[in-house]
Amino acid sequence: MKALLDRARSFKRRVDFESDEYRKLVVGQFPEALFIACSDSRVIPALITGARPGEIFELRNAGNIVPPHDEHGAASGEAATIEYALEVLGVQDVVVCGHSHCGAMSAITHGADLSGLPRVDAWLDHARPGLEPVLGEAGAGGDPALREVVQLNVRNQLAALRGYPVARRLIEAGRLRLHGWYYEIATGTVHELDEDGRFRVHGS
């Protein structure tokens, strides 16, 4: 923690806040994309994308989950962030990024005992039903790969996002694009979801 504190205390000396880049941040934020990722400390959206301050709006939680749209308007941090990003900030791209070695998806895959973590268990209930097509293989004597579970979860969360009225309206108007990514921690490789539903590595 000391190292983090030291770097925070010296931050204003390490950055040129008189530069045009930082002066623009005082005026307001105009991010290009909403990045929905896992809370995992090894997954850092700005590091992966090389984004500068103000370029991406982040939503992070266990398992990069997008809760289903609630027609009754129940409040949630995820729904509020999505609504603000699309309605106020006007982002034109949304990335849902899953990753290798995901603890949340691993817990679901292997049926981990989460009785000591009731809120984590309840949160993951958002993702479990949509993963049944893959998890069902385990019940038949199979062993679903974590990679397959994570990638299916990304597809499912994109589908959940399309269920938000604001997202659906913008997509139909051609003003919003959705992207699915799978990030490999060990190699730094980003796999992108193609139109055929498969994840592929694309050259820069």
Side-chain angles (χ1 to χ4, degrees):
M1 187 63 196
K2 183 179 184 304
L4 295 177
L5 282 171
D6 288 343
R7 289 197 291 271
R9 289 164 179 164
S10 66
F11 180 58
K12 64 181 180 181
R13 297 196 301 272
R14 292 183 284 112
V15 176
D16 181 9
F17 283 95
E18 295 302 316
S19 66
D20 288 342
E21 177 183 12
Y22 277 89
R23 283 183 176 276
K24 290 178 182 177
L25 298 179
V26 177
V27 177
Q29 59 171 324
F30 307 95
E32 299 176 16
L34 168 61
F35 204 100
I36 302 175
C38 186
S39 299
D40 194 302
S41 61
R42 300 166 293 181
V43 181
I44 307 173
L47 182 64
I48 296 170
T49 62
R52 300 291 299 163
E55 290 186 340
I56 57 176
F57 198 61
E58 295 184 26
L59 169 57
R60 303 183 65 178
N61 61 47
N64 45 271
I65 292 171
V66 177
H69 176 260
D70 188 332
E71 295 181 356
H72 302 292
S76 78
E78 287 72 24
T81 300
I82 291 168
E83 182 179 87
Y84 190 81
L86 301 187
E87 291 280 25
V88 179
L89 299 179
V91 300
Q92 297 183 348
D93 293 272
V94 179
V95 176
V96 175
C97 180
H99 67 95
S100 65
H101 306 83
C102 180
M105 293 300 106
S106 179
I108 293 177
T109 302
H110 302 294
D113 179 7
L114 298 177
S115 57
L117 301 168
R119 291 172 182 80
V120 173
D121 193 33
W123 173 250
L124 295 182
D125 278 343
H126 288 302
R128 286 189 178 99
L131 297 174
E132 279 303 319
V134 173
L135 299 177
E137 297 177 7
D143 183 16
L146 178 58
R147 175 192 185 104
E148 187 177 359
V149 173
V150 171
Q151 292 183 354
L152 177 56
N153 183 58
V154 169
R155 296 188 193 94
N156 291 342
Q157 302 319 311
L158 288 169
L161 186 58
R162 293 187 189 96
Y164 282 66
V166 58
R168 185 165 57 248
R169 171 169 52 81
L170 293 173
I171 291 171
E172 292 174 352
R175 294 166 51 198
L176 181 66
R177 296 174 294 269
L178 305 185
H179 312 268
W181 288 7
Y182 172 75
Y183 171 67
E184 288 185 353
I185 290 176
T187 66
T189 303
V190 173
H191 302 250
E192 301 171 49
L193 181 62
D194 282 343
E195 292 183 0
D196 63 3
R198 295 187 178 187
F199 285 83
R200 293 186 174 87
V201 177
H202 292 269
S204 59

